[in-house]
Coordinates of all heavy atoms in Angstrom, one line a residue:
T1 N -7.5 21.7 -27.2 CA -6.3 20.9 -27.3 C -5.1 21.4 -26.5 O -4.0 20.9 -26.6 CB -5.8 20.9 -28.8 OG1 -5.6 22.2 -29.3 CG2 -6.9 20.2 -29.7
Q2 N -5.4 22.4 -25.7 CA -4.3 22.8 -24.7 C -5.0 23.0 -23.3 O -6.2 23.1 -23.2 CB -3.7 24.2 -25.1 CG -4.6 25.3 -25.3 CD -3.9 26.5 -25.9 OE1 -3.5 26.4 -27.1 NE2 -3.8 27.7 -25.2
E3 N -4.2 22.9 -22.3 CA -4.7 22.8 -20.9 C -5.1 24.2 -20.4 O -5.9 24.2 -19.5 CB -3.6 22.2 -20.0 CG -3.4 20.7 -20.3 CD -2.4 20.1 -19.3 OE1 -1.9 20.8 -18.4 OE2 -2.2 18.9 -19.5
K4 N -4.5 25.2 -20.9 CA -4.8 26.6 -20.4 C -5.0 27.6 -21.5 O -4.4 27.5 -22.5 CB -3.6 27.0 -19.4 CG -3.6 26.2 -18.1 CD -2.4 26.8 -17.2 CE -2.4 26.0 -15.9 NZ -3.5 26.2 -15.1
L5 N -5.8 28.6 -21.2 CA -5.9 29.8 -21.9 C -5.5 30.9 -21.0 O -6.2 31.2 -20.0 CB -7.3 30.0 -22.5 CG -7.6 29.1 -23.7 CD1 -9.1 29.2 -24.0 CD2 -6.8 29.5 -24.9
G6 N -4.4 31.6 -21.2 CA -3.8 32.4 -20.2 C -3.5 31.5 -19.0 O -2.9 30.5 -19.1
E7 N -4.1 31.9 -17.8 CA -3.9 31.0 -16.7 C -5.1 30.2 -16.4 O -5.2 29.5 -15.4 CB -3.5 31.9 -15.4 CG -4.7 32.7 -14.8 CD -5.0 34.0 -15.5 OE1 -4.6 34.2 -16.7 OE2 -5.6 34.9 -14.9
W8 N -6.1 30.3 -17.2 CA -7.4 29.6 -17.0 C -7.4 28.2 -17.5 O -7.0 28.0 -18.7 CB -8.5 30.4 -17.6 CG -9.9 30.1 -17.1 CD1 -10.3 29.6 -15.9 CD2 -11.1 30.2 -17.9 NE1 -11.6 29.5 -15.9 CE2 -12.2 29.8 -17.0 CE3 -11.4 30.7 -19.2 CZ2 -13.5 29.9 -17.5 CZ3 -12.7 30.7 -19.6 CH2 -13.8 30.3 -18.7
D9 N -7.8 27.2 -16.7 CA -7.8 25.8 -17.1 C -9.0 25.6 -18.1 O -10.1 25.9 -17.8 CB -8.0 24.9 -15.9 CG -6.9 25.0 -14.9 OD1 -5.8 25.2 -15.3 OD2 -7.2 24.9 -13.6
T10 N -8.6 25.1 -19.3 CA -9.7 25.0 -20.3 C -10.8 23.9 -19.9 O -11.9 24.0 -20.4 CB -9.1 24.6 -21.7 OG1 -8.2 23.5 -21.5 CG2 -8.3 25.7 -22.2
E11 N -10.4 23.0 -19.0 CA -11.5 22.1 -18.6 C -12.6 22.8 -17.8 O -13.7 22.2 -17.7 CB -10.9 21.0 -17.7 CG -10.4 21.4 -16.3 CD -10.0 20.3 -15.4 OE1 -9.9 19.1 -15.9 OE2 -9.8 20.5 -14.2
L12 N -12.4 24.0 -17.4 CA -13.4 24.7 -16.6 C -14.4 25.5 -17.5 O -15.4 25.9 -17.0 CB -12.7 25.7 -15.6 CG -11.9 25.0 -14.5 CD1 -11.2 26.1 -13.7 CD2 -12.8 24.2 -13.6
I13 N -14.1 25.5 -18.8 CA -15.0 26.3 -19.7 C -16.3 25.6 -19.8 O -17.4 26.3 -19.6 CB -14.3 26.5 -21.1 CG1 -13.0 27.3 -20.9 CG2 -15.3 27.1 -22.1 CD1 -12.1 27.3 -22.1
E14 N -16.3 24.3 -20.1 CA -17.6 23.6 -20.1 C -18.3 23.7 -18.8 O -19.6 23.9 -18.7 CB -17.4 22.1 -20.5 CG -18.6 21.3 -20.5 CD -18.4 19.8 -20.8 OE1 -17.3 19.4 -21.0 OE2 -19.4 19.1 -20.8
H15 N -17.6 23.6 -17.7 CA -18.2 23.7 -16.4 C -18.8 25.1 -16.1 O -19.9 25.2 -15.5 CB -17.1 23.4 -15.3 CG -17.7 23.2 -13.9 ND1 -18.7 22.2 -13.7 CD2 -17.5 23.8 -12.8 CE1 -19.0 22.3 -12.4 NE2 -18.3 23.2 -11.8
W16 N -18.2 26.1 -16.6 CA -18.8 27.5 -16.5 C -20.2 27.5 -17.2 O -21.2 28.0 -16.6 CB -17.9 28.5 -17.1 CG -18.3 29.9 -16.9 CD1 -18.0 30.8 -15.9 CD2 -19.2 30.7 -17.7 NE1 -18.6 32.0 -16.0 CE2 -19.4 32.0 -17.1 CE3 -19.9 30.4 -18.9 CZ2 -20.2 33.0 -17.7 CZ3 -20.8 31.4 -19.4 CH2 -20.9 32.7 -18.8
F17 N -20.2 27.0 -18.4 CA -21.5 27.0 -19.2 C -22.5 26.1 -18.5 O -23.7 26.5 -18.4 CB -21.3 26.6 -20.6 CG -20.7 27.6 -21.5 CD1 -19.4 27.8 -21.7 CD2 -21.6 28.5 -22.2 CE1 -18.9 28.8 -22.5 CE2 -21.1 29.5 -23.0 CZ -19.8 29.7 -23.2
H18 N -22.1 25.0 -18.0 CA -23.0 24.1 -17.3 C -23.6 24.8 -16.0 O -24.8 24.8 -15.8 CB -22.3 22.8 -16.8 CG -23.1 21.9 -16.0 ND1 -23.2 21.9 -14.7 CD2 -24.0 20.9 -16.4 CE1 -24.0 21.0 -14.2 NE2 -24.5 20.4 -15.3
S19 N -22.8 25.5 -15.3 CA -23.2 26.2 -14.1 C -24.2 27.3 -14.4 O -25.2 27.5 -13.7 CB -22.0 26.7 -13.3 OG -21.2 25.6 -12.9
V20 N -23.9 28.1 -15.4 CA -24.8 29.2 -15.8 C -26.2 28.6 -16.3 O -27.2 29.1 -15.9 CB -24.2 30.0 -17.0 CG1 -25.3 30.9 -17.6 CG2 -23.1 30.9 -16.4
A21 N -26.1 27.5 -17.1 CA -27.4 26.9 -17.5 C -28.2 26.4 -16.4 O -29.4 26.6 -16.3 CB -27.1 25.8 -18.5
Q22 N -27.6 25.8 -15.4 CA -28.3 25.2 -14.3 C -28.9 26.3 -13.4 O -30.1 26.2 -13.1 CB -27.3 24.4 -13.4 CG -26.9 23.1 -14.0 CD -28.0 22.1 -14.0 OE1 -28.7 21.9 -13.1 NE2 -28.2 21.5 -15.2
S23 N -28.2 27.4 -13.1 CA -28.7 28.4 -12.2 C -29.7 29.4 -12.9 O -30.5 30.0 -12.3 CB -27.6 29.1 -11.5 OG -26.7 29.8 -12.5
A24 N -29.5 29.6 -14.2 CA -30.4 30.5 -14.9 C -31.6 29.8 -15.5 O -32.6 30.4 -15.9 CB -29.7 31.2 -16.1
G25 N -31.6 28.4 -15.5 CA -32.7 27.7 -16.0 C -32.7 27.6 -17.6 O -33.8 27.8 -18.2
L26 N -31.6 27.4 -18.2 CA -31.5 27.4 -19.6 C -31.3 26.0 -20.2 O -30.6 25.2 -19.6 CB -30.2 28.2 -20.1 CG -30.0 29.6 -19.5 CD1 -28.7 30.2 -20.0 CD2 -31.2 30.5 -19.9
T27 N -32.0 25.8 -21.3 CA -31.6 24.6 -22.1 C -30.6 25.2 -23.1 O -31.0 26.1 -23.9 CB -32.8 24.1 -22.8 OG1 -33.8 23.6 -21.9 CG2 -32.4 22.9 -23.8
L28 N -29.4 24.7 -23.1 CA -28.3 25.4 -23.8 C -27.5 24.4 -24.6 O -27.0 23.4 -24.0 CB -27.4 26.1 -22.7 CG -26.1 26.8 -23.2 CD1 -26.5 27.9 -24.2 CD2 -25.4 27.3 -22.0
H29 N -27.4 24.6 -25.9 CA -26.6 23.8 -26.8 C -25.5 24.6 -27.3 O -25.7 25.6 -28.0 CB -27.5 23.3 -27.9 CG -28.6 22.3 -27.5 ND1 -28.6 21.0 -27.8 CD2 -29.7 22.5 -26.7 CE1 -29.7 20.4 -27.3 NE2 -30.4 21.3 -26.6
C30 N -24.3 24.1 -27.1 CA -23.0 24.8 -27.6 C -22.3 23.8 -28.4 O -21.9 22.7 -28.0 CB -22.2 25.2 -26.4 SG -22.9 26.3 -25.2
Q31 N -21.9 24.2 -29.6 CA -21.2 23.3 -30.6 C -20.2 24.1 -31.4 O -20.5 25.2 -31.9 CB -22.2 22.7 -31.5 CG -21.6 21.7 -32.5 CD -22.6 21.1 -33.4 OE1 -23.7 21.5 -33.5 NE2 -22.2 19.9 -34.0
V32 N -19.0 23.6 -31.4 CA -18.0 24.2 -32.3 C -18.1 23.4 -33.6 O -17.8 22.1 -33.6 CB -16.6 24.1 -31.7 CG1 -15.5 24.6 -32.7 CG2 -16.5 25.0 -30.5
L33 N -18.5 24.0 -34.7 CA -18.6 23.3 -36.0 C -17.2 23.0 -36.6 O -17.0 21.9 -37.2 CB -19.4 24.2 -36.9 CG -20.9 24.5 -36.4 CD1 -21.6 25.4 -37.4 CD2 -21.6 23.2 -36.2
Y34 N -16.3 23.9 -36.5 CA -14.9 23.7 -36.8 C -14.1 24.8 -36.3 O -14.6 25.9 -35.9 CB -14.7 23.6 -38.3 CG -15.4 24.6 -39.2 CD1 -14.9 25.9 -39.4 CD2 -16.7 24.3 -39.8 CE1 -15.5 26.8 -40.1 CE2 -17.3 25.3 -40.6 CZ -16.8 26.5 -40.7 OH -17.4 27.5 -41.5
G35 N -12.8 24.5 -36.2 CA -11.8 25.5 -35.6 C -10.6 24.8 -35.0 O -10.7 23.7 -34.6

């Protein structure tokens, strides 16, 4: 719900996980149940 954590753009967090999954060959499911 905010654009940045520190100076890091929060829209890049999903992209980081996507890129790791792609290059490591992972089937990866990430879910926030609440928070």
Side-chain angles (χ1 to χ4, degrees):
T1 58
Q2 62 191 60
E3 293 184 359
K4 290 183 180 292
L5 285 168
E7 74 278 20
W8 197 28
D9 299 327
T10 52
E11 71 172 8
L12 295 174
I13 296 167
E14 178 182 358
H15 192 55
W16 187 94
F17 279 92
H18 177 267
S19 298
V20 167
Q22 288 291 312
S23 58
L26 308 177
T27 299
L28 178 60
H29 293 246
C30 300
Q31 182 178 18
V32 175
L33 300 177
Y34 46 81

